[in-house]
Amino acid sequence: MKRFRKLRQNEQMRSFVRENRISTDDLIYPIFVKDEKNIKEPIESMPGIFRYSIDRLDEILDEVVSKKIHLLLIFGIPSHKDEKASGAYDENGITQRAIRYIKEKYPSILIIADVCLCEYTSHGHCGIVKGNEILNDETLPLLAATAVSLAKSGADIIAPSDMMDGRVEAIREALDKSGFINTPIMSYSAKFASAYYGPFRDAAGSSPCFGDRKSYQMDPANGREAMAEIKQDLAEGADMIIIKPALAYGDILSSARKAFDVPLIAYNVSGEYAMVKTAAEKGFIDEKRIVLENMLSLKRAGADRIITYHALDIARWLSE
Ligand code: PBG
Ligand code: ZN
């Protein structure tokens, strides 16, 4: 009889043969910064997550830094929206100002800037709209301008999440032309049209006011197509790739890990977070064990790093 239990007999032995571990170095923490004064607003569908104004960002960032989280993904919530998403590429836009503030006050933090238009458009779509159509090529220059303006503000990494075709190439070209030859692109290469983004759209006020995102984000039924999207983004100059959502897409992570030798990031999205938090609040599940198990599943599937709203809770548990 082969006795597998030899290696499970006590914690020291289990730790010795453990294949994956979670550390704060694995985690990217998303934050929402709102263009207002003196606010820390709870997001109802994401218990434990708040929108902060710049003047109160320290309340969260002091703890983030002291708990050894070094990577932030930043989302701005503007006070003004219009058809061409002017706020996205405004030098004094909310995200630009937030990045400048964080870079100056917390120089050890690496800032990843999400690049998309949906938080800034009056209609909530990720691109320029004509009639009922979301235009691809007309959107590219605006995404490129947004990326350059965020890089100018101090963003360390540019993360396009719009899913327009050709955006990585357009952004790379614009960054290079503006002298940002050393700013990496971390592309949301395989981003699915998912119901799991519901709470985020609440948080950022970015729900499309007509239709849905199915003509640009991927069909959840398609796995092979995700590999083609990743391959294309890498050909256009992406340095790292994101798979999103994460937990229901372990197969995509695993295939991408085998096919591509670049850093692979899983985005554990708002709906995944909300489900765990709500069940935990009701006492139906053990939050800490479930969250750590979910994180391990993503690492096992092949993720190098994980974007997650649980990051600060995990950092607190790890420092206990
Ligand atoms: C912007 C963007 C979204 C998310 C990240 N960037 C929303 C969307 O595509 O509708 C979702 C993040 C989450 O659900 O946690 N395009
Ligand atoms: Zn968008």
Side-chain angles (χ1 to χ4, degrees), residues 148-275:
V148 169
S149 115
L150 295 169
K152 266 187 197 150
S153 306
D156 297 290
I157 296 173
I158 295 297
S161 72
D162 52 281
M163 288 299 278
M164 297 300 131
D165 289 319
R167 91 270 211 210
V168 173
E169 185 176 40
I171 289 173
R172 183 71 270 162
E173 225 179 81
L175 287 172
D176 289 351
K177 248 195 221 142
S178 305
F180 295 104
I181 55 171
N182 285 319
T183 303
I185 296 177
M186 178 168 122
S187 178
Y188 290 77
S189 299
K191 176 171 177 179
F192 290 86
S194 170
Y196 283 106
Y197 308 150
F200 175 94
R201 293 181 192 169
D202 254 14
S206 61
S207 293
C209 71
F210 68 91
D212 51 41
R213 305 211 201 288
K214 290 180 187 165
S215 76
Y216 42 109
Q217 299 180 350
M218 288 185 59
D219 185 335
N222 296 354
R224 291 190 304 262
E225 192 188 346
M227 299 307 111
E229 280 276 8
I230 295 169
K231 197 171 164 201
Q232 180 60 30
D233 278 7
L234 292 173
E236 290 182 25
D239 302 284
M240 304 183 257
I241 54 182
I242 306 175
I243 311 282
K244 175 186 177 189
L247 291 170
Y249 295 79
D251 58 323
I252 311 283
L253 280 167
S254 169
S255 317
R257 175 70 300 155
K258 291 187 191 98
F260 304 103
D261 289 322
V262 292
L264 181 60
I265 290 92
Y267 197 146
N268 176 220
V269 299
S270 58
E272 300 173 316
Y273 174 84
M275 291 194 304

Side-chain angles (χ1 to χ4, degrees), residues 73-116:
L73 176 64
I74 182 156
F75 293 102
I77 305 170
S79 47
H80 162 83
K81 300 180 189 234
D82 59 34
E83 301 236 308
K84 14 182 219 34
S86 321
Y89 40 90
D90 175 353
E91 204 177 307
N92 278 314
I94 177 62
T95 314
Q96 286 79 356
R97 274 181 285 133
I99 292 173
R100 287 196 289 268
Y101 176 79
I102 298 169
K103 283 314 279 186
E104 193 187 322
K105 181 97 193 265
Y106 301 91
S108 70
I109 291 180
L110 197 97
I111 298 186
I112 304 165
D114 185 277
V115 169
C116 201

Side-chain angles (χ1 to χ4, degrees), residues 286-305:
D286 179 332
E287 180 177 352
K288 176 175 169 182
R289 289 190 58 200
I290 291 270
V291 169
L292 293 174
E293 192 172 326
N294 283 349
M295 295 305 122
L296 282 174
S297 85
L298 299 177
K299 293 212 78 175
R300 222 175 48 235
D304 294 305
R305 299 290 178 267

Side-chain angles (χ1 to χ4, degrees), residues 4-5 9-10 55 78 101 104 107 214 234 274 294 303 307 315:
F4 284 98
R5 293 178 57 188
Q9 60 185 300
N10 55 44
D55 57 346
Y101 176 79
E104 193 187 322
K214 290 180 187 165
L234 292 173
N294 283 349
I307 304 170

